[in-house]
Amino acid sequence: MRYHFPPFELDDETLTLKKQGELVAIRPQALEVLLHLVRCRDRFVTREELVRDVWGGASVSDTAVPQAILAARRAIGDAGDEAVSVQTIRGRGYRFIADVRVDRPAAGAEGGHPGRFVGREAAVRRLEKALASAGDGRGDVVLLVGAPGYGKSRAAAELSAVARRTALVVETACRAGGSELGPWMDVIRTLGGDEASVFPSTSPEARPPAPTELAVVEHVAGVLRTASSKAPLVVVIDDLHFADESSILLFRLLGDSLRNSRVVFVATYEDAALTAHPVLARTVAGLVRQDPSRCVPLRPLTADEVADLASSLFGANVSAEGMRRVFEKSDGSPLLATQLLFLVCSEDWLSAPGDVATSAMLSTNTVREAIGLHLEELSTGCRRALAAASIFGRVFTLTDLTQTLEADRASTLSLLDEALRARVVEKRTTSPGGFRFVHSLVRDILYKELSLTDRARLHERAGRALAASGEEPMAAEQLARAADALGLSLEGPSAPGARVQALLARLDECRAR
């Protein structure tokens, strides 16, 4: 969705803030705080809620939230004595008070989602099958699942456009910290149903009735059946993983009770959220058990599909070398590929060496924010471990990382399990104990965030460990990188064993100074 509060526009799909069409520089954490306030603008948001939903419940300093609020206010020109957009009330929290217009562009519309819709043919076919069944009085559920940046919201919008050709479509989106049963209130309101008869009060003090109550299920199901009396009805729910438990339970109950109807539900969720969200996990498992084809995984785009996307955006203006680098760095993530394609066609860096080109990509605000989708949910310990892993390149082993961290194998594996759940790394099935960063840009940004001192320290640790295990060629490479980070001369013998000894002597001499 896009939130307009002139002259600014905040896009929650691309995670960008623009002022009159121009990108505004803003720290990713401050952007997330601003987005949360805009989404929850109907109420005050407490510091505790921001820590829970933006920082993932991590331990943060007392100044972290006020600093992020200040950065967000500065980005939108609200840093004066009198609040215009972000209001602060001591003891209550923060509230976004500027007028906001919400815009969810229709697929293909001017100013809507950029580029051709590619690589999602399976999702379209599954929806068409569900619509055909709904026309015959058999309701259905379609679940779009993928990692952050894999185009779940884009796919939902495109499926909505397909469905509108033959069906009535109602769209809603879940948000972290939203009101209980909020998505279903949106649906009832949109369809002209009597919200008050099911949800007698929307005030924070009044708790809505449990969604398992038969009267609630029957009333909402009745509203949906009535709306589908003349044509199939498609209810699209984006970001189901952000929904409260009551909304998810009602979703499951309605999916069961409306099997003999003309109602189709389309929902998107992040696969990594299932581990931390047992209610969602049980709901998805139950729906998929009834029909495995209900779940449509959104896979990475192929090289040909990225090329097709580039052609739709810029015609023939992207060179073969540009396409190779975009696909290599994005690994088929639609969000990253789109951001990089815009960079390819707006910046002259394709003739630069690989490291320089990567630095140019990572210096771009929108690219860093897109990468932040994969990193901000991680704990501090996990991110530090991944930063250490980045010194090995895109591929590393559990043994090498454990030795570099000077930790025990169990604690290192626990941190990698967290990264696996967040889809930041994946196991290498061809190499026992081997891991691989899912996106090379994630590895690149972690490595570039390391100070020269930290790089030297980690490379040296890795080099010494590899030398002790007899891996002399790899040890020499790591020790050479440590020496380079410290500005030491790299001249010396070329034989791996002799080179390792020479580099170790040079590093020991540097430390003794």
Side-chain angles (χ1 to χ4, degrees):
M1 290 187 181
R2 293 179 180 175
Y3 301 91
H4 301 268
F5 44 102
F8 296 95
E9 175 190 287
L10 182 58
D11 191 321
D12 70 356
E13 182 176 350
T14 60
L15 283 179
T16 55
L17 176 67
K18 294 182 180 180
K19 181 180 181 180
Q20 296 176 336
E22 297 293 326
L23 284 173
V24 176
I26 180 173
R27 291 189 291 113
Q29 209 95 61
L31 182 68
E32 289 285 358
V33 167
L34 178 62
L35 180 57
H36 191 88
L37 293 178
V38 171
R39 284 171 168 166
C40 303
R41 59 193 177 278
D42 56 337
R43 59 184 175 83
F44 278 95
V45 174
T46 65
R47 175 191 181 278
E48 291 72 25
E49 180 179 332
L50 288 172
V51 170
R52 182 193 69 209
D53 294 330
V54 176
W55 278 267
S59 177
V60 300
S61 67
D62 291 339
T63 61
V65 173
Q67 286 176 351
I69 292 288
L70 180 60
R73 294 187 66 195
R74 284 174 175 165
I76 59 176
D78 194 40
D81 293 334
E82 187 174 342
V84 176
S85 299
V86 179
Q87 181 183 29
T88 303
I89 299 294
R90 184 179 296 275
R92 296 191 66 185
Y94 310 93
R95 185 178 180 183
F96 195 84
I97 57 176
D99 291 334
V100 177
R101 176 172 60 85
V102 181
D103 175 26
R104 183 169 188 165
E110 182 67 25
H113 298 289
R116 189 176 299 135
F117 187 51
V118 298
R120 302 295 180 246
E121 293 79 6
V124 174
R125 288 195 300 270
R126 185 59 182 83
L127 175 68
E128 289 173 340
K129 174 187 173 184
L131 287 171
S133 296
D136 294 333
R138 300 190 307 276
D140 205 347
V141 177
V142 180
L143 301 169
L144 305 178
V145 54
Y150 272 38
K152 297 181 296 298
S153 296
R154 170 76 190 270
E158 294 287 348
L159 295 192
S160 295
V162 171
R164 284 192 180 93
R165 300 170 190 163
T166 57
L168 172 65
V169 177
V170 177
E171 298 173 280
T172 186
C174 307
R175 64 191 188 198
S179 59
E180 190 170 7
L181 293 174
W184 296 108
M185 294 182 192
D186 289 342
V187 170
I188 295 294
R189 279 193 293 263
T190 303
L191 294 175
D194 184 7
E195 175 190 344
S197 65
V198 183
F199 314 112
S201 174
T202 58
S203 66
E205 295 79 14
R207 183 180 180 85
T212 51
E213 291 182 13
L214 185 60
V216 175
V217 179
E218 287 185 344
H219 181 88
V220 178
V223 171
L224 300 183
R225 281 198 184 92
T226 299
S228 65
S229 59
K230 295 182 179 179
L233 169 67
V234 178
V235 179
V236 180
I237 307 174
D238 197 15
D239 290 335
L240 188 62
H241 53 280
F242 284 141
D244 59 283
E245 291 187 1
S246 295
S247 292
I248 295 173
L249 286 170
L250 185 53
F251 173 71
R252 170 64 194 278
L253 293 169
L254 289 170
D256 287 339
S257 64
L258 292 172
R259 274 186 280 182
N260 297 319
S261 73
R262 290 152 57 91
V263 180
V264 174
F265 296 99
V266 176
T268 74
Y269 67 93
E270 291 181 5
D271 49 0
L274 296 180
T275 303
H277 207 321
V279 174
L280 177 61
R282 288 194 296 271
T283 294
V284 168
L287 292 169
V288 173
R289 191 161 47 244
Q290 295 169 358
D291 181 357
S293 74
R294 284 175 162 175
C295 185
V296 183
L298 300 181
R299 55 172 177 75
L301 301 180
T302 65
D304 288 342
E305 288 164 347
V306 172
D308 193 11
L309 177 64
S311 175
S312 71
L313 287 168
F314 302 107
N317 294 331
V318 184
S319 67
E321 173 62 9
M323 283 306 315
R324 184 189 70 77
R325 288 198 185 179
V326 166
F327 180 68
E328 176 186 290
K329 291 296 182 181
S330 69
D331 289 291
S333 164
L335 179 58
L336 288 177
T338 301
Q339 299 288 1
L340 294 180
L341 284 168
F342 277 108
L343 179 62
V344 165
C345 292
S346 61
E347 301 288 345
D348 184 21
W349 54 262
L350 284 179
S351 60
D355 288 346
V356 176
T358 295
S359 295
M361 284 187 277
L362 297 181
S363 69
T364 305
N365 197 47
T366 52
V367 174
R368 288 200 312 274
E369 289 162 358
I371 294 169
L373 287 169
H374 302 269
L375 299 177
E376 289 180 0
E377 63 190 87
L378 301 176
S379 67
T380 301
C382 181
R383 186 156 177 162
R384 285 175 179 166
L386 292 177
S390 72
I391 69 168
F392 296 100
R394 189 170 176 187
V395 175
F396 61 95
T397 68
L398 173 61
T399 299
D400 290 343
L401 180 58
T402 298
Q403 293 174 336
T404 302
L405 292 172
E406 297 180 347
D408 62 89
R409 194 177 182 90
S411 61
T412 303
L413 188 57
S414 176
L415 294 172
L416 288 177
D417 281 340
E418 181 184 347
L420 283 167
R421 290 193 299 270
R423 294 288 298 276
V424 176
V425 300
E426 60 190 7
K427 289 183 178 179
R428 298 188 73 205
T429 56
T430 58
S431 174
F435 292 84
R436 175 179 181 266
F437 284 98
V438 173
H439 297 293
S440 62
L441 276 177
V442 173
R443 178 266 164 189
D444 293 342
I445 200 170
L446 285 166
Y447 185 76
K448 289 182 179 299
E449 284 181 346
L450 290 170
S451 66
L452 288 177
T453 302
D454 286 339
R455 286 186 198 178
R457 175 176 53 82
L458 292 168
H459 280 303
E460 182 179 355
R461 277 187 191 173
R464 290 182 183 276
L466 289 165
S469 62
E471 300 284 348
E472 290 180 337
M474 295 174 62
E477 179 184 348
Q478 289 293 333
L479 293 171
R481 288 181 176 271
D484 181 58
L486 294 172
L488 303 178
S489 170
L490 298 179
E491 295 180 2
S494 58
R499 185 164 176 76
V500 166
Q501 296 306 314
L503 287 166
L504 284 173
R506 207 165 296 157
L507 290 167
D508 289 338
E509 180 185 349
C510 177
R511 187 179 298 105
R513 290 175 185 169

